[in-house]
Amino acid sequence: MVRRTRADMEETRATLLATARKVFSEYGYAATSMDDLTAQAGLTRGALYHHFGDKKGLLTAVVEHIDAEMDVRLASISNAAKDPWEGFCSRCRAYLEMAIEPEYQRIVLRDAKAVLGGATPQSQRHCVESMRDQLEELISQGVVVQVDAQVLASLIYGSLAEAAFWIADGEHGDDRLDRAIAALELLLRGLRAKQ
């Protein structure tokens, strides 16, 4: 019996994730066969089941991986802004702009919604908490009106998520994106404290 090291196990998991991400992006979750996926990865179905349980577990892991990358991208956008308000607004716009990226659109906004019901509760909590922290700072600086930052973050996150699904769900994604950003700008202007 061959003993696998921790590094071997991590490499196998990473290979399965990368292959699944590529195949799900190209063909979609429903059209992806586990035999084809594992053959492309050069691994066995047993490896897939060991690491992810099943095809749905693999999709969940791919979505979590993409969500983590998206979070890093959004954080860098808000951190690069000239001030916290512009950072918050840029982050919200960027979230909507990601809805027209083919990989994100197919895997997260279409397949994950259909198969998993959307983002995981942990991912949703993380997004809302991150947004809440930004809003608390903006409220303390007097940039945003005094309001419960947790509730406001939940409302904005929900609006952004639903708008992203709407953008991804129809034809003419660029037109839908433009319309969603126009509505977002109106919403964000309503948050500003009178100065």
Side-chain angles (χ1 to χ4, degrees):
M1 181 172 165
V2 176
R3 302 229 18 152
R4 297 194 48 114
T5 66
R6 181 179 199 98
D8 291 338
M9 297 293 280
E10 289 173 4
E11 183 179 336
T12 297
R13 180 178 171 81
T15 299
L16 284 166
L17 275 172
T19 304
R21 184 172 175 168
K22 178 181 178 288
V23 174
F24 289 161
S25 180
E26 289 177 14
Y27 303 106
Y29 176 84
T32 299
S33 102
M34 291 297 89
D35 288 333
D36 290 341
L37 190 146
T38 53
Q40 283 192 40
L43 296 166
T44 65
R45 285 182 80 144
L48 184 144
Y49 293 129
H50 172 77
H51 288 280
F52 302 103
D54 57 15
K55 184 178 174 184
K56 190 174 175 179
L58 180 58
L59 177 63
T60 300
V62 168
V63 169
E64 288 171 354
H65 190 72
I66 292 170
D67 277 346
E69 286 179 3
M70 186 178 87
D71 191 49
V72 169
R73 284 174 62 190
L74 292 172
S76 70
I77 288 167
S78 56
N79 292 339
K82 64 183 179 201
D83 64 63
W85 172 249
E86 184 52 42
F88 181 77
C89 294
S90 295
R91 186 179 183 133
C92 291
R93 281 189 298 274
Y95 182 87
L96 293 180
E97 289 165 355
M98 290 177 184
I100 62 170
E101 294 178 9
E103 179 186 61
Y104 184 72
Q105 188 177 93
R106 174 170 266 187
I107 295 174
V108 177
L109 298 177
R110 290 185 179 160
D111 287 347
K113 185 175 183 186
V115 177
L116 307 173
T120 65
Q122 177 185 344
S123 174
Q124 290 175 353
R125 272 192 307 277
H126 176 74
C127 289
V128 171
E129 288 169 5
S130 176
M131 189 171 285
R132 180 204 61 215
D133 292 346
Q134 288 183 300
L135 287 167
E136 284 175 345
E137 180 182 341
L138 292 166
I139 291 167
S140 72
Q141 294 172 355
V143 175
V144 170
V145 295
Q146 287 290 325
V147 67
D148 185 312
Q150 179 69 39
V151 175
L152 185 57
S154 296
L155 287 168
I156 295 170
Y157 169 76
S159 298
L160 289 171
E162 285 303 312
F165 287 130
W166 177 76
I167 291 165
D169 195 38
E171 295 180 15
H172 313 293
D174 289 336
D175 177 58
R176 284 182 174 225
L177 174 62
D178 291 342
R179 291 163 55 198
I181 287 177
L184 173 66
E185 298 296 339
L186 177 64
L187 184 144
L188 292 174
R189 279 196 304 272
L191 302 180
R192 295 295 302 261
K194 300 221 188 292
Q195 295 184 13

